[in-house]
């Protein structure tokens, strides 16, 4: 498997972020930003949940995750940040509203199922030109998700459904810090 294949395999399989066929990604009818700004899906999870850019521009735009379960919210400021966050905590979707202890249990369970997680992550990072030693800590990643879920970024990235009601936030309660 080549370096590019390793990166694609990590993101599509382990991080559940598949951007290999952008033309097939389409948001559910009526899902939009409250502000009226553009919401552009660029990837999806296996469940059909959507990764979307906010507004106009390139890969530096905020990234919002829209779940088919009626949750949505900002998860990164730009694609480079999303890549780093997913390299560190690809299980982040199981984190909403959980305590530090519960998050640790989810991470431990996830990592137990992937004994070579760190090797696969490091190979994917290197394939993308990222030094694995420079990746943020797991605690920093969870803190970043919580930070983005409130304040001006969250307000600018508020997603509403077809009836105009806001979708539930991804991180309803801020995770405890370790």
């Amino acid at each position: 498997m080549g370096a590019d294949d390793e990166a694609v395999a990590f993101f599509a399989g382990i991080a559940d972020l598949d951007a290999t066929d952008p033309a097939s990604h389409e948001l559910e009818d009526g899902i939009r930003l409250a502000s009226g700004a553009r919401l552009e899906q660029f990837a999806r999870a296996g469940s059909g949940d959507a990764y979307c850019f906010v507004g106009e521009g390139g890969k530096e735009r905020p990234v919002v995750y829209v779940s088919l379960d009626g949750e949505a919210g900002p998860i990164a400021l730009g694609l480079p940040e999303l890549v780093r966050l997913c390299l560190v905590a690809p299980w982040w979707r199981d984190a909403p509203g959980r305590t530090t202890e519960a998050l640790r249990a989810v991470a431990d369970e996830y990592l137990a199922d992937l004994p070579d997680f760190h090797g696969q992550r490091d190979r994917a990072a290197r394939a993308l030109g990222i030094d694995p030693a420079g990746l943020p800590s797991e605690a920093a990643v969870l803190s970043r998700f919580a930070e983005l879920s409130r304040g001006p970024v969250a307000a600018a990235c508020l997603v509403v459904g077809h009836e105009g009601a806001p979708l539930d936030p991804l991180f309803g309660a801020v995770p405890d810090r370790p």
Side-chain angles (χ1 to χ4, degrees), residues 8 10 18 26 30-31 40 43-44 53 93 101 108 117-118 162-163 176-177:
V8 168
F10 180 88
D18 184 358
E26 222 175 281
I31 301 293
E40 175 190 352
R44 67 174 175 222
F53 284 125
R93 285 172 305 284
E101 295 78 26
D108 289 345
F117 168 77
H118 292 97
H162 57 34
E163 295 176 8
D176 301 334
R177 293 186 185 209

Side-chain angles (χ1 to χ4, degrees), residues 6-175:
E6 292 230 33
V8 168
F10 180 88
F11 281 94
I14 295 173
D16 198 17
L17 189 163
D18 184 358
T20 57
D21 186 12
S24 72
H25 306 310
E26 222 175 281
L27 280 173
E28 190 176 309
D29 283 340
I31 301 293
R32 64 192 186 289
L33 289 170
S35 68
R38 183 175 181 209
L39 189 60
E40 175 190 352
Q41 185 174 350
F42 67 90
R44 67 174 175 222
S47 63
D49 294 354
Y51 290 87
C52 305
F53 284 125
V54 172
E56 300 296 328
K59 296 176 182 176
E60 75 289 345
R61 295 178 282 170
V63 176
V64 167
Y65 187 83
V66 180
S67 122
L68 294 177
D69 294 330
E71 296 176 319
I75 56 172
L77 293 180
L79 189 59
E81 182 177 48
L82 177 65
V83 166
R84 284 175 170 72
L85 297 175
C86 287
L87 281 166
V88 174
W91 48 267
W92 69 267
R93 285 172 305 284
D94 295 329
R98 298 205 170 178
T99 64
T100 300
E101 295 78 26
L103 290 169
R104 183 73 258 149
V106 168
D108 289 345
E109 185 177 316
Y110 191 90
L111 295 173
D113 290 340
L114 293 168
D116 188 34
F117 168 77
H118 292 97
Q120 291 176 329
R121 179 206 58 203
D122 291 355
R123 287 188 296 275
R126 284 188 196 97
L128 296 169
I130 299 169
D131 179 0
L135 290 172
S137 69
E138 187 177 278
V141 167
L142 295 175
S143 178
R144 181 65 173 154
F145 285 137
E147 176 187 335
L148 290 171
S149 72
R150 56 186 184 272
V153 173
C157 297
L158 183 64
V159 178
V160 296
H162 57 34
E163 295 176 8
L167 299 183
D168 292 334
L170 288 172
F171 293 87
V174 177

